[in-house]
Amino acid sequence: MGLVGQFLEFIESAPNQSLRSLSDRVLRKCRDLTGAEAGTVFMLRGQGRHRHLEAVSAQNDVIRAKPTLFSVPVSQTSIVGYVAATGETLLLEDAYAIPADRPYNFNPAFDQRTGFRTRSIMAFALKGFRDRPIGVVQLINRRPVEGPPAFLPEHEQMIAPVNHIVGRALERAATLERLTERNRALTRERRRVAELQAETERAFMVSVNLLARAAEVHDEDTGNHILRVNEYSHALATWAGCSRAFCHEIRFSAALHDVGKMSVDQAVLHKKGRLDDRELAEMRRHPVYGHDILVASDRLKMAAEIALYHHEQWAGTGYPHGLKGEEIPLAARIVAIADCYDALRSARPYKPSFSHQKAVDILLNGDDRLDPRVHFDPRLLSLFAGRHAEFDAIWERLKDQETVTA
């Protein structure tokens, strides 16, 4: 069997071997062919200025300690760097007697640290796809059975036919190793991202809840109002055929509909009697205040929209902008009904808690203060009319200790 056949045989005998295993076998074979005492296989890593040669296999029959793997910058000032950059094979009789006109030189640090004596060197490039160098094999100190102790041109000729085979095999192994490690890293990263997203989502929801609670700290008897409005809004959005993402978002965004009250003059909020024109104008600024608080957050765009428009009315008689019909964003139209239902069910200083039947009757037919044809989206109101029992179930599940008196 020829030399090419020998290399093919041991490469193909274990097609999925690791880069380290394959490079160890390649180096051992090259040393056997040339009689080298020691050697190293380097693979090119990195891009541009960060390119370097990383030792992936090192063997030494003289030094007992396991060789330490290291890396070398791709620079023509080093022997292996020169070979990687030029693709040229170097045969050096004496590493310590390199002619001064050569661009590369020998680094004696290893010899000085270990007591090993480097003499002859053979360094050749491993060629990969499109004949580009993908690594370097450096062989050290030929042990002659016969002849001079230097590597000879015939050794170069012996290796030349197989370095493409070896180079491409190592290139494939390196690529597979990188892909495997990248997949592992991606899996770890996806797991970590999922954990961080879950932590972030929990923290976000806590923040939303605290902000909604802070907005109601000056209101009396609000209890679970914000939780119920969330659930009513989610139910109505689901009935309206909204997307899952929309329904999820409105489920927490609805709670922030009155967050602007935090910026309203506290004297106005706490006034027991009828508001004068100035005070009423200040109170009616709370949608704008709420929008200003929320709009800076990408996650709270819907909440900002709800805060700004939930007091707009279908007939165009609401505030702050007097929008009409479908000019009013859908989320705000949904929350308007949810908020009104809960206000009717809840006891307030100026009214008792109404029963579900009375709240439904007012929402659908109106009373002396509310005209549903003026206030609400008729399609949403029709959906409510067909399934309002679910609102009552939400109320019962999340109600406060309030007594129905009317």
Side-chain angles (χ1 to χ4, degrees):
M1 182 183 294
L3 187 58
V4 172
Q6 292 178 40
F7 272 94
L8 283 173
E9 182 179 45
F10 84 78
I11 287 171
E12 293 176 358
S13 63
N16 295 320
Q17 58 196 308
S18 69
L19 175 63
R20 177 65 184 273
S21 175
L22 181 57
S23 60
D24 281 346
R25 297 180 71 192
V26 165
L27 183 56
R28 178 66 62 186
K29 187 68 174 178
C30 290
R31 290 179 56 220
D32 287 346
L33 289 171
T34 60
E37 280 184 346
T40 307
V41 176
F42 297 87
M43 294 296 291
L44 271 171
R45 306 291 198 199
Q47 298 291 329
R49 291 182 300 173
H50 301 290
R51 284 215 312 169
H52 61 281
L53 286 160
E54 179 182 330
V56 294
S57 178
Q59 298 168 5
N60 193 310
D61 291 344
V62 177
I63 303 296
R64 289 188 176 183
K66 187 177 180 180
T68 302
L69 299 181
F70 57 98
S71 62
V72 178
V74 177
S75 164
Q76 294 195 25
T77 59
S78 71
I79 293 170
V80 292
Y82 177 87
V83 172
T86 65
E88 183 181 329
T89 297
L90 294 182
L91 301 174
L92 305 176
E93 290 187 16
D94 187 347
Y96 286 86
I98 296 174
D101 61 350
R102 301 291 177 88
Y104 49 84
N105 54 68
F106 173 68
N107 182 350
F110 177 79
D111 287 8
Q112 293 168 356
R113 187 172 69 253
T114 64
F116 182 76
R117 177 62 166 84
T118 300
R119 297 183 300 277
S120 58
I121 294 176
M122 176 179 176
F124 61 91
L126 292 168
K127 303 294 182 66
F129 183 63
R130 293 181 179 173
D131 206 37
R132 290 181 299 195
I134 56 94
V136 174
V137 175
Q138 179 173 261
L139 303 175
I140 298 173
N141 292 358
R142 177 173 176 260
R143 292 174 296 201
V145 177
E146 298 177 359
F151 294 98
L152 304 172
E154 64 191 59
H155 295 126
E156 178 183 359
Q157 294 164 10
M158 184 187 302
I159 295 297
V162 300
N163 70 355
H164 287 78
I165 297 170
V166 171
R168 289 177 185 177
L170 288 171
E171 187 175 37
R172 284 194 301 272
T175 300
L176 180 61
E177 194 169 271
R178 286 196 300 271
L179 289 174
T180 301
E181 180 53 37
R182 187 176 301 170
N183 287 338
R184 290 198 193 101
L186 286 173
T187 299
R188 291 193 297 269
E189 191 64 22
R190 280 194 293 266
R191 189 180 298 118
R192 179 58 180 154
V193 166
E195 291 170 356
L196 290 173
Q197 285 176 333
E199 291 174 10
T200 301
E201 190 68 15
R202 286 192 292 270
F204 173 74
M205 289 303 177
V206 169
S207 299
V208 167
N209 189 54
L210 290 174
L211 185 58
R213 294 290 184 189
E216 297 205 326
V217 72
H218 298 292
D219 286 351
E220 298 178 3
D221 303 321
T222 54
N224 283 335
H225 168 67
I226 58 174
L227 299 180
R228 294 190 297 265
V229 170
N230 277 348
E231 295 305 308
Y232 302 142
S233 300
H234 179 265
L236 190 48
T238 302
W239 304 340
C242 297
S243 69
R244 181 178 297 182
F246 183 100
C247 294
H248 170 73
E249 190 170 359
I250 202 171
R251 198 173 204 162
F252 65 82
S253 297
L256 298 170
H257 62 282
D258 275 338
V259 74
K261 287 183 178 179
M262 290 193 298
S263 299
V264 172
D265 185 339
Q266 299 305 302
V268 174
L269 279 179
H270 295 144
K271 184 174 180 179
K272 296 297 184 183
R274 186 182 182 88
L275 300 179
D276 61 28
D277 290 345
R278 184 197 66 78
E279 292 165 337
L280 184 60
E282 170 64 9
M283 180 62 80
R284 289 190 169 189
R285 291 287 297 166
H286 84 267
V288 176
Y289 295 150
H291 180 266
D292 290 346
I293 291 169
L294 301 172
V295 73
S297 170
D298 288 338
R299 286 293 307 277
L300 295 175
K301 294 298 186 186
M302 180 188 284
E305 196 173 68
I306 291 169
L308 184 59
Y309 298 120
H310 72 285
H311 282 296
E312 300 287 357
Q313 296 177 1
W314 187 255
T317 51
Y319 65 89
H321 298 306
L323 300 185
K324 183 177 181 180
E326 293 188 358
E327 294 174 353
I328 306 166
L330 176 59
R333 284 181 268 148
I334 289 171
V335 172
I337 293 175
D339 188 33
C340 184
Y341 174 84
D342 200 73
L344 292 169
R345 296 299 310 269
S346 302
R348 294 289 182 266
Y350 53 85
K351 63 171 282 295
S353 171
F354 295 154
S355 68
H356 173 67
Q357 290 75 17
K358 183 167 184 176
V360 171
D361 182 63
I362 293 172
L363 268 170
L364 297 180
N365 301 309
D367 63 4
D368 59 340
R369 298 180 61 184
L370 184 148
D371 183 348
R373 293 170 300 178
V374 170
H375 282 74
F376 304 122
D377 180 336
R379 184 177 77 92
L380 295 177
L381 209 57
S382 176
L383 292 170
F384 170 79
R387 303 182 65 166
H388 58 75
E390 294 183 39
F391 271 41
D392 187 36
I394 292 169
W395 169 269
E396 290 298 327
R397 177 163 53 88
L398 296 173
K399 69 180 178 181
D400 310 302
Q401 301 305 310
E402 297 169 342
T403 302
V404 175
T405 57

